[in-house]
Amino acid sequence: MKTTVENLDPSRIKLTVEVPYEELKPSLDAAYKEIGSQIQVPGFRRGHVPNRVIDQRVGRGAVIQEAVNNKLSDFYRDAITEAERVPMLQPEVDVVELPNATGENGGQLSFTAEVTVRPVIELPDLSKTELTVDAVEVTDEDVDTELDNLRARFGSLKSVGRKAKTGDFVTIDLKAVIDGEEVDSISGVSYEIGKGNMLKGLDTALRGLKTDESATFTTELAGGEHAGEEAEVTVTATAVKQRELPKVDDEFAQLASEFDTVEELREDLVKQVTERKTGEQAVAARDALLEQLRSEISFDVPEAVVEAEIAQHLQAEGKEGDEEHSKEIRDDIVTGVRDQIILDVLAEDLKIGVAQDELLEFLFQTAQQYGMEPAQFLQGAQQAGQIPAFVSEVARNKSLATALRQAKVIDSKGEAVDLSAYIGSDEDDAAAAAEAAAVAAAEATDEGEADSAESDADAE
């Protein structure tokens, strides 16, 4: 097979592929066999019809078409691999020449394939990269906040007759009206004033209301068929309650933890805050590394890929053809595609692999985010052909963590930061690989011994 590569632009190439008859012949033989098993010819058993008879009955052209259809994708895959480029979209294939359909066997298959490919980029020397993150500092205020969060878990709600204020829990009824017509309503919803996670303007409307009082405000609806439309919303506070927190003493420490005293509890909370902030350091270092890669690597994001991503996004939201929304999401899509390209190259450069348990953990976490059962989510992902995309996503995440091992990370005080607990180490990876190899070898030995024992039993 001969492949010629023409660069149409930095992210699009044209492959011209020529496959001689000899290389296509195995596929032609398979096509003859397949077609021969499907036709009935007097005097011949099904599946034993000579090629020349098949040529007479269905035409050699049909056989060639069958062979090309079955093998074209393989030839294209070999050609793109030989060109050492990574496709980002499906190719536009045009068959230019087919083997002889009449006369002597021979000729060649020739086709062209235009395809959008990943831009060629060069990664910076990560060993020269220095990243700065905030130093880990645990204050009394941090510990008090953790303690208050713990108290809230053991708090109780008490009805009050005063006006509602921030932090109160209210039971509310909501009614939305557009152009004088009620379009939506809900009843008996519990809401904490100040959370701001329902409707814009709701917190302001609730402050100052007593039980069974109402207020009306104008806002954009957040869900349903009228999402994004402006509506007049009436909210009624059917109950107003305040949270009463337990007193911080040794009795509370014993109730809320395994510790006997508040002092011991606070010491443990210091450890928890320290661990959390150290974890935040790792996240900050990862984000800083990605930002550094973005600033040091310059390339044009393939426009065709951006358009395809936008179209897929709009389709998923049921907004196909919405040019205004397309403009709103374009910058985010471009950034996402750029990051994907950088991280894919980084993963390949670092030879990142994805173990089965890593993929399953990712799928489990993703299922939780969507509120689905892991088994159901996995089945849906398999049916939709999304598993390879999830594998790539895990590899991208791992590539940043692995790359951090090469960079120098310091905190705002100039001290070196050890992130090995979060990003691992090359030594850990080598040890894990050796252990996996040992386990695989042991399993192979066990299987071999079992097969040998079975053969001996059969011989007896």
Side-chain angles (χ1 to χ4, degrees), residues 197-330:
N197 56 359
M198 285 190 69
L199 292 173
K200 186 176 181 180
L202 178 60
D203 289 331
T204 301
L206 285 173
R207 293 188 189 99
L209 293 185
K210 292 184 177 180
T211 300
D212 294 329
E213 290 185 343
S214 301
T216 300
F217 61 102
T218 301
T219 188
E220 284 188 1
L221 298 182
E225 61 178 307
H226 294 280
E229 295 183 38
E230 194 171 84
E232 190 175 78
V233 177
T234 299
V235 57
T236 301
T238 59
V240 179
K241 299 179 181 181
Q242 69 178 17
R243 180 157 51 191
E244 293 187 341
L245 302 180
K247 182 181 179 181
V248 179
D249 53 21
D250 292 347
E251 184 178 346
F252 170 71
Q254 294 163 19
L255 171 67
S257 71
E258 71 271 29
F259 303 106
D260 294 326
T261 67
V262 173
E263 183 179 354
E264 290 175 321
L265 175 57
R266 289 185 68 90
E267 288 176 357
D268 185 67
L269 291 177
V270 169
K271 293 179 183 178
Q272 292 182 33
V273 174
T274 301
E275 290 177 359
R276 188 188 73 239
K277 290 197 172 187
T278 304
E280 290 171 354
Q281 273 189 326
V283 174
R286 181 198 65 191
D287 293 345
L289 177 58
L290 178 56
E291 192 58 43
Q292 185 80 4
L293 292 172
R294 288 169 176 165
S295 65
E296 293 190 24
I297 302 173
S298 177
F299 63 95
D300 292 328
V301 175
E303 182 62 24
V305 177
V306 173
E307 292 296 336
E309 289 284 337
I310 290 175
Q312 184 178 5
H313 187 92
L314 293 178
Q315 183 180 29
E317 291 191 348
K319 297 181 178 180
E320 293 178 87
D322 188 336
E323 293 296 326
E324 189 62 33
H325 190 53
S326 172
K327 294 177 182 177
E328 291 175 359
I329 64 175
R330 173 172 288 275

Side-chain angles (χ1 to χ4, degrees), residues 88-105:
M88 298 195 72
L89 295 173
Q90 290 298 317
E92 298 174 9
V93 178
D94 182 23
V95 176
V96 178
E97 182 181 356
L98 290 171
N100 300 337
T102 58
E104 294 185 5
N105 291 328

Side-chain angles (χ1 to χ4, degrees), residues 120-402:
V120 177
I121 63 175
E122 185 175 346
L123 296 172
D125 184 354
L126 296 176
S127 65
K128 298 180 180 178
T129 299
E130 182 174 298
L131 308 170
T132 302
V133 296
D134 292 337
V136 172
E137 295 180 333
V138 180
T139 65
D140 289 341
E141 184 180 353
D142 293 327
V143 178
D144 290 340
T145 299
E146 291 296 316
L147 192 56
D148 286 342
N149 291 337
L150 187 59
R151 292 170 68 199
R153 289 167 51 188
F154 291 87
S156 58
L157 297 179
K158 180 181 179 181
S159 296
V160 294
R162 59 167 172 77
K163 296 179 179 179
K165 62 181 182 179
T166 299
D168 285 343
F169 287 79
V170 289
T171 304
I172 60 175
D173 296 341
L174 289 168
K175 181 177 69 174
V177 175
I178 297 178
D179 296 330
E181 179 183 352
E182 182 178 323
V183 296
D184 200 3
S185 65
I186 54 174
S187 300
V189 176
S190 180
Y191 178 72
E192 181 181 357
I193 301 177
K195 281 294 186 181
N197 56 359
M198 285 190 69
L199 292 173
K200 186 176 181 180
L202 178 60
D203 289 331
T204 301
L206 285 173
R207 293 188 189 99
L209 293 185
K210 292 184 177 180
T211 300
D212 294 329
E213 290 185 343
S214 301
T216 300
F217 61 102
T218 301
T219 188
E220 284 188 1
L221 298 182
E225 61 178 307
H226 294 280
E229 295 183 38
E230 194 171 84
E232 190 175 78
V233 177
T234 299
V235 57
T236 301
T238 59
V240 179
K241 299 179 181 181
Q242 69 178 17
R243 180 157 51 191
E244 293 187 341
L245 302 180
K247 182 181 179 181
V248 179
D249 53 21
D250 292 347
E251 184 178 346
F252 170 71
Q254 294 163 19
L255 171 67
S257 71
E258 71 271 29
F259 303 106
D260 294 326
T261 67
V262 173
E263 183 179 354
E264 290 175 321
L265 175 57
R266 289 185 68 90
E267 288 176 357
D268 185 67
L269 291 177
V270 169
K271 293 179 183 178
Q272 292 182 33
V273 174
T274 301
E275 290 177 359
R276 188 188 73 239
K277 290 197 172 187
T278 304
E280 290 171 354
Q281 273 189 326
V283 174
R286 181 198 65 191
D287 293 345
L289 177 58
L290 178 56
E291 192 58 43
Q292 185 80 4
L293 292 172
R294 288 169 176 165
S295 65
E296 293 190 24
I297 302 173
S298 177
F299 63 95
D300 292 328
V301 175
E303 182 62 24
V305 177
V306 173
E307 292 296 336
E309 289 284 337
I310 290 175
Q312 184 178 5
H313 187 92
L314 293 178
Q315 183 180 29
E317 291 191 348
K319 297 181 178 180
E320 293 178 87
D322 188 336
E323 293 296 326
E324 189 62 33
H325 190 53
S326 172
K327 294 177 182 177
E328 291 175 359
I329 64 175
R330 173 172 288 275
D331 288 346
D332 288 340
I333 295 292
V334 170
T335 298
V337 174
R338 180 183 297 278
D339 289 349
Q340 175 184 317
I341 291 172
I342 292 173
L343 296 180
D344 282 344
V345 173
L346 183 62
E348 291 174 12
D349 184 70
L350 297 174
K351 296 180 174 57
I352 299 296
V354 177
Q356 184 177 19
D357 58 340
E358 292 173 323
L359 176 60
L360 290 175
E361 181 181 358
F362 176 84
L363 292 172
F364 181 79
Q365 293 175 348
T366 306
Q368 285 185 318
Q369 292 174 3
Y370 285 100
M372 298 176 63
E373 288 294 327
Q376 179 187 5
F377 181 79
L378 176 59
Q379 182 180 14
Q382 289 174 327
Q383 292 175 346
Q386 293 178 312
I387 298 299
F390 289 144
V391 171
S392 296
E393 186 64 24
V394 175
R396 292 177 195 128
N397 293 336
K398 283 186 66 177
S399 70
L400 273 177
T402 304

